[in-house]
Amino acid sequence: KNEVEQSPQNLTAQEGEFITINCSYSVGISALHWLQQHPGGGIVSLFMLSSGKKKHGRLIATINIQEKHSSLHITASHPRDSAVYICAVRWETSGSRLTFGEGTQLTVNP
Amino acid sequence: DGGITQSPKYLFRKEGQNVTLSCEQNLNHDAMYWYRQDPGQGLRLIYYSQIVNDFQKGDIAEGYSVSREKKESFPLTVTSAQKNPTAFYLCASSIRLAETQYFGPGTRLLVL
């Protein structure tokens, strides 16, 4: 069964800390997405990547295709970063469909 | 402002009742999607549409129906055949399949 696993499930940090959220998947993918879901439920797409690294502001996403692993890093974390971060993959064999991880709940305390 | 709107924000369904969730986008996107989110689970795909007048079942289509008569609109009907409809429903669109998806604010459906 094709699976996406995120760790940790829950993460609490102090403002200013460096945050890392991990995503592992089971078989080959054509793309991996990182999404952010705020408490109200709305979802924003942060990154789509198939290799290497992408950076946007304080957010950095990396992917290691050989190890089937991606990380989302947040530098200088802030309470407004508190949200659920979701990893989603598009399998090589599934066309356009995405499979989503369960999400990582991040809480950043002031 | 371009974006995706979903209505209503909260919806209550009685036993045996069909309800329709609205999803509208003015991004000129060809592809649209419906997902269901349950606590402790990842989003699951209900239906998707690549283009007007076309739609395909996702992973959990049983008990749901959709239509795509207009490019801007992709309503989802939760039928009485869906035995466990209580969930958070998210609509998304993308310029075409396999591109970055943009999500609506979601509709929370509760069964009375």
mmCIF file of all heavy atoms in Angstrom, chain B residues 8-29:
data_model
loop_
_atom_site.group_PDB
_atom_site.id
_atom_site.type_symbol
_atom_site.label_atom_id
_atom_site.label_comp_id
_atom_site.label_asym_id
_atom_site.label_seq_id
_atom_site.Cartn_x
_atom_site.Cartn_y
_atom_site.Cartn_z
ATOM 1 N N PRO B 8 -22.413 26.446 2.368
ATOM 2 C CA PRO B 8 -22.207 27.316 3.523
ATOM 3 C C PRO B 8 -20.961 26.919 4.302
ATOM 4 O O PRO B 8 -20.323 25.922 3.991
ATOM 5 C CB PRO B 8 -23.477 27.070 4.340
ATOM 6 C CG PRO B 8 -23.814 25.638 4.054
ATOM 7 C CD PRO B 8 -23.437 25.412 2.618
ATOM 8 N N LYS B 9 -20.643 27.656 5.343
ATOM 9 C CA LYS B 9 -19.499 27.303 6.184
ATOM 10 C C LYS B 9 -19.846 26.105 7.069
ATOM 11 O O LYS B 9 -19.032 25.225 7.314
ATOM 12 C CB LYS B 9 -19.124 28.501 7.057
ATOM 13 C CG LYS B 9 -17.815 28.317 7.799
ATOM 14 C CD LYS B 9 -17.390 29.625 8.448
ATOM 15 C CE LYS B 9 -16.047 29.437 9.156
ATOM 16 N NZ LYS B 9 -15.557 30.702 9.741
ATOM 17 N N TYR B 10 -21.086 26.088 7.571
ATOM 18 C CA TYR B 10 -21.598 24.973 8.356
ATOM 19 C C TYR B 10 -22.903 24.503 7.736
ATOM 20 O O TYR B 10 -23.699 25.310 7.273
ATOM 21 C CB TYR B 10 -21.861 25.389 9.818
ATOM 22 C CG TYR B 10 -20.626 25.801 10.568
ATOM 23 C CD1 TYR B 10 -20.247 27.138 10.647
ATOM 24 C CD2 TYR B 10 -19.829 24.844 11.199
ATOM 25 C CE1 TYR B 10 -19.101 27.508 11.336
ATOM 26 C CE2 TYR B 10 -18.681 25.213 11.897
ATOM 27 C CZ TYR B 10 -18.328 26.546 11.946
ATOM 28 O OH TYR B 10 -17.197 26.918 12.629
ATOM 29 N N LEU B 11 -23.112 23.203 7.749
ATOM 30 C CA LEU B 11 -24.323 22.637 7.164
ATOM 31 C C LEU B 11 -24.783 21.484 8.022
ATOM 32 O O LEU B 11 -23.980 20.643 8.439
ATOM 33 C CB LEU B 11 -24.029 22.162 5.737
ATOM 34 C CG LEU B 11 -25.188 21.673 4.888
ATOM 35 C CD1 LEU B 11 -26.257 22.754 4.755
ATOM 36 C CD2 LEU B 11 -24.683 21.257 3.519
ATOM 37 N N PHE B 12 -26.089 21.459 8.268
ATOM 38 C CA PHE B 12 -26.650 20.399 9.086
ATOM 39 C C PHE B 12 -27.545 19.530 8.214
ATOM 40 O O PHE B 12 -28.330 20.036 7.419
ATOM 41 C CB PHE B 12 -27.452 20.998 10.251
ATOM 42 C CG PHE B 12 -26.601 21.835 11.157
ATOM 43 C CD1 PHE B 12 -26.464 23.199 10.936
ATOM 44 C CD2 PHE B 12 -25.917 21.253 12.206
ATOM 45 C CE1 PHE B 12 -25.669 23.972 11.771
ATOM 46 C CE2 PHE B 12 -25.121 22.007 13.042
ATOM 47 C CZ PHE B 12 -24.993 23.374 12.819
ATOM 48 N N ARG B 13 -27.412 18.247 8.388
ATOM 49 C CA ARG B 13 -28.213 17.307 7.594
ATOM 50 C C ARG B 13 -29.023 16.416 8.508
ATOM 51 O O ARG B 13 -28.510 15.927 9.527
ATOM 52 C CB ARG B 13 -27.304 16.434 6.727
ATOM 53 C CG ARG B 13 -28.060 15.649 5.657
ATOM 54 C CD ARG B 13 -27.195 14.607 4.997
ATOM 55 N NE ARG B 13 -27.337 13.308 5.639
ATOM 56 C CZ ARG B 13 -26.946 12.168 5.090
ATOM 57 N NH1 ARG B 13 -26.373 12.173 3.912
ATOM 58 N NH2 ARG B 13 -27.077 11.024 5.731
ATOM 59 N N LYS B 14 -30.268 16.231 8.133
ATOM 60 C CA LYS B 14 -31.105 15.278 8.864
ATOM 61 C C LYS B 14 -30.958 13.910 8.235
ATOM 62 O O LYS B 14 -30.573 13.777 7.077
ATOM 63 C CB LYS B 14 -32.570 15.726 8.818
ATOM 64 C CG LYS B 14 -32.843 17.035 9.544
ATOM 65 C CD LYS B 14 -34.317 17.393 9.448
ATOM 66 C CE LYS B 14 -34.576 18.718 10.137
ATOM 67 N NZ LYS B 14 -35.997 19.122 10.020
ATOM 68 N N GLU B 15 -31.294 12.896 8.988
ATOM 69 C CA GLU B 15 -31.226 11.527 8.478
ATOM 70 C C GLU B 15 -32.067 11.393 7.221
ATOM 71 O O GLU B 15 -33.183 11.909 7.152
ATOM 72 C CB GLU B 15 -31.751 10.547 9.537
ATOM 73 C CG GLU B 15 -30.899 10.453 10.789
ATOM 74 C CD GLU B 15 -29.602 9.710 10.564
ATOM 75 O OE1 GLU B 15 -29.512 8.976 9.570
ATOM 76 O OE2 GLU B 15 -28.677 9.881 11.369
ATOM 77 N N GLY B 16 -31.504 10.741 6.201
ATOM 78 C CA GLY B 16 -32.258 10.502 4.984
ATOM 79 C C GLY B 16 -32.338 11.666 4.021
ATOM 80 O O GLY B 16 -33.033 11.605 3.010
ATOM 81 N N GLN B 17 -31.636 12.725 4.326
ATOM 82 C CA GLN B 17 -31.725 13.939 3.518
ATOM 83 C C GLN B 17 -30.502 14.066 2.612
ATOM 84 O O GLN B 17 -29.387 13.715 3.022
ATOM 85 C CB GLN B 17 -31.787 15.137 4.467
ATOM 86 C CG GLN B 17 -32.144 16.449 3.859
ATOM 87 C CD GLN B 17 -32.182 17.536 4.930
ATOM 88 O OE1 GLN B 17 -31.303 17.639 5.765
ATOM 89 N NE2 GLN B 17 -33.230 18.344 4.897
ATOM 90 N N ASN B 18 -30.728 14.546 1.396
ATOM 91 C CA ASN B 18 -29.600 14.916 0.538
ATOM 92 C C ASN B 18 -29.249 16.377 0.796
ATOM 93 O O ASN B 18 -30.150 17.204 0.981
ATOM 94 C CB ASN B 18 -29.966 14.773 -0.942
ATOM 95 C CG ASN B 18 -30.164 13.333 -1.358
ATOM 96 O OD1 ASN B 18 -29.949 12.410 -0.573
ATOM 97 N ND2 ASN B 18 -30.574 13.134 -2.589
ATOM 98 N N VAL B 19 -27.957 16.707 0.778
ATOM 99 C CA VAL B 19 -27.545 18.100 0.889
ATOM 100 C C VAL B 19 -26.500 18.378 -0.167
ATOM 101 O O VAL B 19 -25.735 17.490 -0.551
ATOM 102 C CB VAL B 19 -26.988 18.444 2.287
ATOM 103 C CG1 VAL B 19 -28.082 18.402 3.321
ATOM 104 C CG2 VAL B 19 -25.837 17.540 2.658
ATOM 105 N N THR B 20 -26.471 19.641 -0.627
ATOM 106 C CA THR B 20 -25.521 20.038 -1.667
ATOM 107 C C THR B 20 -24.593 21.108 -1.144
ATOM 108 O O THR B 20 -25.033 22.123 -0.591
ATOM 109 C CB THR B 20 -26.251 20.531 -2.916
ATOM 110 O OG1 THR B 20 -27.031 19.457 -3.446
ATOM 111 C CG2 THR B 20 -25.255 20.985 -3.978
ATOM 112 N N LEU B 21 -23.294 20.877 -1.347
ATOM 113 C CA LEU B 21 -22.256 21.827 -0.957
ATOM 114 C C LEU B 21 -21.806 22.569 -2.213
ATOM 115 O O LEU B 21 -21.523 21.941 -3.242
ATOM 116 C CB LEU B 21 -21.066 21.104 -0.323
ATOM 117 C CG LEU B 21 -21.195 20.594 1.110
ATOM 118 C CD1 LEU B 21 -22.307 19.561 1.263
ATOM 119 C CD2 LEU B 21 -19.862 19.999 1.554
ATOM 120 N N SER B 22 -21.697 23.882 -2.071
ATOM 121 C CA SER B 22 -21.334 24.705 -3.219
ATOM 122 C C SER B 22 -19.840 24.952 -3.268
ATOM 123 O O SER B 22 -19.184 25.111 -2.231
ATOM 124 C CB SER B 22 -22.086 26.035 -3.118
ATOM 125 O OG SER B 22 -21.558 26.973 -4.031
ATOM 126 N N CYS B 23 -19.284 24.984 -4.477
ATOM 127 C CA CYS B 23 -17.894 25.363 -4.699
ATOM 128 C C CYS B 23 -17.824 26.175 -5.991
ATOM 129 O O CYS B 23 -18.237 25.680 -7.049
ATOM 130 C CB CYS B 23 -17.000 24.135 -4.799
ATOM 131 S SG CYS B 23 -15.273 24.558 -5.157
ATOM 132 N N GLU B 24 -17.321 27.382 -5.878
ATOM 133 C CA GLU B 24 -17.188 28.267 -7.030
ATOM 134 C C GLU B 24 -15.767 28.819 -7.089
ATOM 135 O O GLU B 24 -15.202 29.170 -6.053
ATOM 136 C CB GLU B 24 -18.154 29.452 -6.908
ATOM 137 C CG GLU B 24 -19.613 29.066 -6.736
ATOM 138 C CD GLU B 24 -20.305 28.784 -8.048
ATOM 139 O OE1 GLU B 24 -19.868 29.354 -9.071
ATOM 140 O OE2 GLU B 24 -21.267 27.994 -8.058
ATOM 141 N N GLN B 25 -15.213 28.890 -8.316
ATOM 142 C CA GLN B 25 -13.888 29.501 -8.465
ATOM 143 C C GLN B 25 -13.886 30.469 -9.642
ATOM 144 O O GLN B 25 -14.550 30.226 -10.645
ATOM 145 C CB GLN B 25 -12.797 28.418 -8.644
ATOM 146 C CG GLN B 25 -13.027 27.426 -9.762
ATOM 147 C CD GLN B 25 -12.336 27.723 -11.057
ATOM 148 O OE1 GLN B 25 -11.587 28.710 -11.166
ATOM 149 N NE2 GLN B 25 -12.551 26.882 -12.066
ATOM 150 N N ASN B 26 -13.167 31.565 -9.474
ATOM 151 C CA ASN B 26 -13.034 32.536 -10.563
ATOM 152 C C ASN B 26 -11.573 32.672 -10.988
ATOM 153 O O ASN B 26 -11.133 33.744 -11.407
ATOM 154 C CB ASN B 26 -13.616 33.892 -10.146
ATOM 155 C CG ASN B 26 -12.909 34.486 -8.945
ATOM 156 O OD1 ASN B 26 -11.934 33.922 -8.444
ATOM 157 N ND2 ASN B 26 -13.382 35.631 -8.480
ATOM 158 N N LEU B 27 -10.852 31.556 -10.886
ATOM 159 C CA LEU B 27 -9.433 31.527 -11.246
ATOM 160 C C LEU B 27 -9.223 31.043 -12.668
ATOM 161 O O LEU B 27 -8.082 30.929 -13.122
ATOM 162 C CB LEU B 27 -8.684 30.594 -10.271
ATOM 163 C CG LEU B 27 -8.746 31.010 -8.803
ATOM 164 C CD1 LEU B 27 -8.254 29.891 -7.904
ATOM 165 C CD2 LEU B 27 -7.940 32.279 -8.581
ATOM 166 N N ASN B 28 -10.307 30.725 -13.347
ATOM 167 C CA ASN B 28 -10.245 30.189 -14.712
ATOM 168 C C ASN B 28 -9.495 28.845 -14.760
ATOM 169 O O ASN B 28 -8.820 28.536 -15.747
ATOM 170 C CB ASN B 28 -9.593 31.190 -15.677
ATOM 171 C CG ASN B 28 -9.961 30.890 -17.126
ATOM 172 O OD1 ASN B 28 -11.057 30.416 -17.415
ATOM 173 N ND2 ASN B 28 -9.053 31.164 -18.035
ATOM 174 N N HIS B 29 -9.634 28.081 -13.676
ATOM 175 C CA HIS B 29 -8.992 26.777 -13.618
ATOM 176 C C HIS B 29 -9.853 25.718 -14.288
ATOM 177 O O HIS B 29 -11.073 25.715 -14.150
ATOM 178 C CB HIS B 29 -8.742 26.375 -12.164
ATOM 179 C CG HIS B 29 -7.616 27.126 -11.535
ATOM 180 N ND1 HIS B 29 -7.337 27.026 -10.179
ATOM 181 C CD2 HIS B 29 -6.695 27.971 -12.059
ATOM 182 C CE1 HIS B 29 -6.290 27.777 -9.908
ATOM 183 N NE2 HIS B 29 -5.884 28.369 -11.032
#
